Amino acid sequence: LTRAAVASPLPMFASDGFIDEGRGHPRTSGTYSKVLGRYVREQGVLSLAEAIRRMTLEPALRLQTRVPEMALKGRIMLAGHADITIFDPETVIDRSTYEDAMIPAHGINYVIIAGEVVVDGGDLTSARPGRAIRARISARAAN
């Protein structure tokens, strides 16, 4: 069932997972690396370019109507807000479990968020530059 969903051109890949006091769902740290490792590399369900588009540009396009700042996300462009993940497509794979959702993915070498290195050579740094992006709420929706 999951393989069929991944193969469909319709879904985007994203996660709403979070860690609370060291506990959480494996999707928190494993969503993207699972798609890249299992469904792109191991099973060939979709191409690397298609997976990246559905992880980055598609969610930004879907949200930018309600969250205008998303028009600057999901693509690398002048004055954009692209966060960058550098990974090895030959080794990337999720390792998180229900017992330990904090296990980092393998093959993710660097993550740069807002110009700060958050993962350096595969190791998590102390930098936490990310911030929440809030939706614009219309007056009609607020009532």
Side-chain angles (χ1 to χ4, degrees):
L1 185 60
T2 302
R3 183 182 163 113
V6 170
S8 169
L10 300 176
M12 298 175 281
F13 305 120
S15 173
D16 61 351
F18 63 94
I19 301 293
D20 185 25
E21 296 182 21
R23 304 210 26 100
H25 193 283
R27 72 176 174 257
T28 303
S29 65
T31 295
Y32 304 102
S33 53
K34 185 172 203 166
V35 170
L36 295 169
R38 180 172 296 164
Y39 299 108
V40 171
R41 184 184 65 247
E42 293 175 1
Q43 297 182 9
V45 175
L46 70 163
S47 71
L48 179 59
E50 176 70 4
I52 291 171
R53 182 184 66 78
R54 289 165 57 184
M55 292 176 185
T56 58
L57 182 59
E58 287 303 318
L61 290 172
R62 174 76 170 99
L63 294 171
Q64 72 187 21
T65 302
R66 302 254 322 160
V67 186
E69 190 172 346
M70 294 305 287
L72 300 172
K73 298 281 187 186
R75 57 211 99 172
I76 297 174
M77 62 185 193
L78 188 61
H81 295 173
D83 299 326
I84 299 172
T85 300
I86 300 169
F87 64 94
D88 182 348
E90 298 299 319
T91 63
V92 66
I93 195 71
D94 66 310
R95 300 185 305 173
S96 59
T97 65
Y98 285 99
E99 291 77 28
D100 189 352
M102 300 270 305
I103 299 173
H106 179 74
I108 305 288
N109 302 316
Y110 297 92
V111 176
I112 303 165
I113 299 174
E116 292 188 50
V117 178
V118 176
V119 174
D120 188 357
D123 297 322
L124 193 61
T125 70
S126 61
R128 298 292 178 270
R131 62 179 179 77
I133 299 174
R134 305 286 181 212
R136 178 179 55 198
I137 300 173
S138 68
R140 192 165 93 181
N143 291 328

